Amino acid sequence: MSYQFKLEQSWDVVKENLKENNINLTDEDLDYRPGHEEQLLEHLEKKLHLGRERIIELIESISSNEGRAS
């Protein structure tokens, strides 16, 4: 099943905020192109040891500035 992120900010802004929240993430870890969400989610699940839903929540909360990114 394919998932499409609901982003309110550009991916570049979201990516930088994700890296600020987790110093172990690199530009390569966060390489994302629309239509390739599944690859990014699978990679981040392994890298962050988090479930898919938590990663989606993290990405979308950062995008919407809800402050749940910690």
Side-chain angles (χ1 to χ4, degrees):
M1 181 174 154
S2 181
Y3 184 83
Q4 187 171 15
F5 296 127
K6 298 168 187 75
L7 300 179
E8 296 179 27
Q9 297 184 45
S10 74
W11 179 250
D12 287 335
V13 170
V14 174
K15 177 173 73 171
E16 291 307 313
N17 284 326
L18 284 166
K19 288 192 309 186
E20 285 178 17
N21 280 296
N22 188 322
I23 61 170
N24 296 318
L25 291 174
T26 65
D27 285 332
E28 293 78 25
D29 291 326
L30 298 169
D31 183 30
Y32 163 69
R33 294 175 313 282
H36 295 270
E37 290 83 358
E38 292 302 317
Q39 291 92 331
L40 177 64
L41 286 170
E42 288 173 12
H43 178 74
L44 291 177
E45 283 178 85
K46 292 175 188 167
K47 177 89 178 194
L48 299 175
H49 306 288
L50 294 173
R52 175 187 178 91
E53 294 302 317
R54 179 65 183 116
I55 293 169
I56 291 170
E57 178 184 291
L58 180 65
I59 289 170
E60 292 181 351
S61 70
I62 286 175
S63 173
S64 66
N65 280 327
E66 292 179 19
R68 285 186 280 155
S70 56

